[in-house]
Amino acid sequence: MSDAPVLLGVDSFVARVTDPDTERVVGPEERFEHLLDEIALADRVGLHSYGIGEHHRSEYFDAAPPVILAAAAARTENIRLRSAVTVLSAADPVRVFQEFATIDLISRGRVDLVVGRGSFVEAFPLFGLAFEDYDDLFTEKLDLLLKINESPTVTWSGKHRPALSNQPVYPRPSQERLPIWVGVGGTPESFARAGLLGLPLMVAIIGGEPRQFAPLVDLYRRAGEHAGHPPEALRVGLHCFGFVGDDVAKATNAFYPGWEEMFTTVAAERGGMPPTRRAFDAMRGPDGAFFVGDPKTVADKVLRVSEQLGGVERINLQMTNPRLRHADLLHSIELLGTEVAPLVEKG
């Protein structure tokens, strides 16, 4: 377990927002203006990274993450910019590499690329893909992306994309190679595959208890060790819901209404149980998956969860919320950088 402090950041799905005070729906132009303000603030208060998700749904504005990240690169100086996640199954790995290499050049080497299969499936019909190819598409496209990242000239063949023969792929990034992380949910196969490939792991924990993921993180590390990868290559990050307020009540009351709205929609679509305040309160408790509370509460949980999982390198809090005031979100980002991060660094 590393003695280095856990690096903190923010993730966003760029949710469409209804102002909870006026019930006014914030338009997409204004929402993007707010988002860039949020990223610029995260940079100023010293947070490690800011991630943009990818969805193809009416309630989110993050369908084109590279465009958003390029705009953020021009507005920031130090913060790392990342996808959260790029839905690689529905993308062309050549274009993904070119887009993120370009952002890396604009940002002077501040890009991390997190690839995964996503938790929604709208990209499959949108791009004419068969859902039964879900796993094959990701495995094949990840293989091509890694080859492009290793060498500017690529020879490759597969089932789902035309072959490449000594094909140059440009531009190349500012960094020697793009850092490519694998975003995973809860399947053992995904953890083991990332370990065998020696790729850093970004674990999405959106419910339950983080300590339940300890056996999967251990599987990842054992698979990586078995494949001969050094321990320093087997890095672990977490993507979790989180929000910071001046006290626990303020944080909870600001974040809960939008969280409830999000998961009421998801439950209706998937036939699950609608969310409850009792379940939310349990998940923001000491052993739950949500990092919601005052700075000390959040910092304590960061340290506790990192220890439970054998040491994590970074934790990004997903603060997207369809009923969250812009001012409250800015305040949460400020507290995360100015109060939570120093507490985590002290241990």
Side-chain angles (χ1 to χ4, degrees), residues 11-280:
D11 286 344
S12 177
F13 295 166
V14 200
R16 184 183 61 217
V17 173
T18 300
D19 187 293
D21 297 320
T22 65
E23 294 300 313
R24 179 181 69 89
V25 177
V26 176
E29 296 91 347
E30 185 180 359
R31 181 67 186 92
F32 276 116
E33 183 181 335
H34 287 173
L35 175 70
L36 292 174
D37 288 343
E38 293 154 12
I39 300 173
L41 176 61
D43 184 42
R44 289 197 302 274
V45 300
L47 288 173
H48 175 261
S49 64
Y50 205 106
I52 300 295
E54 179 188 341
H55 298 83
H56 304 275
R57 299 168 60 90
S58 62
E59 66 264 39
Y60 299 122
F61 297 135
D62 61 348
V67 179
I68 301 170
L69 292 170
R75 293 266 306 256
T76 55
E77 295 181 1
N78 299 304
I79 196 167
R80 294 195 68 81
L81 302 167
R82 53 188 283 275
S83 54
V85 303
T86 294
V87 183
L88 187 62
S89 305
D92 185 332
V94 174
R95 290 301 283 159
V96 168
F97 181 86
Q98 290 176 323
E99 288 164 348
F100 280 86
T102 301
I103 302 165
D104 201 52
L105 293 168
I106 294 169
S107 69
R108 297 182 180 270
R110 292 187 283 124
V111 162
D112 291 319
L113 177 54
V114 184
V115 298
R117 290 175 287 192
S119 58
F120 293 95
V121 297
E122 286 78 8
F124 281 78
L126 183 63
F127 296 107
L129 302 168
F131 189 71
E132 54 265 30
D133 294 329
Y134 183 83
D135 197 58
D136 278 353
L137 282 165
F138 181 75
T139 302
E140 182 176 293
K141 291 185 176 187
L142 178 59
D143 178 61
L144 175 54
L145 180 64
L146 294 175
K147 282 185 167 54
I148 297 169
N149 201 34
E150 286 296 316
S151 170
T153 303
V154 180
T155 295
W156 177 91
S157 63
K159 187 168 68 172
H160 298 285
R161 190 203 186 281
L164 299 172
S165 178
N166 292 318
Q167 179 66 50
V169 180
Y170 293 101
R172 306 307 294 182
S174 176
Q175 300 172 87
E176 183 179 354
R177 294 182 181 86
L178 287 177
I180 297 176
W181 294 61
V182 177
V184 299
T187 62
E189 295 80 8
S190 297
F191 283 78
R193 173 167 50 201
L196 291 171
L197 292 171
L199 295 174
L201 187 75
M202 182 61 65
V203 187
I205 303 179
I206 61 172
E209 297 184 353
R211 62 186 176 185
Q212 294 172 328
F213 284 78
L216 293 171
V217 171
D218 184 57
L219 171 63
Y220 160 72
R221 289 178 170 133
R222 285 189 286 109
E225 182 183 9
H226 178 76
H229 299 294
E232 60 268 21
L234 303 172
R235 300 145 64 196
V236 177
L238 306 181
H239 161 99
C240 306
F241 282 110
F243 193 78
V244 191
D246 294 321
D247 57 46
V248 173
K250 286 181 180 177
T252 302
N253 292 336
F255 193 73
Y256 175 74
W259 177 86
E260 180 190 37
E261 183 175 306
M262 276 192 293
F263 280 89
T264 296
T265 299
V266 171
E269 289 179 359
R270 300 182 179 180
M273 294 291 292
T276 65
R277 179 61 184 260
R278 183 177 179 181
F280 179 88

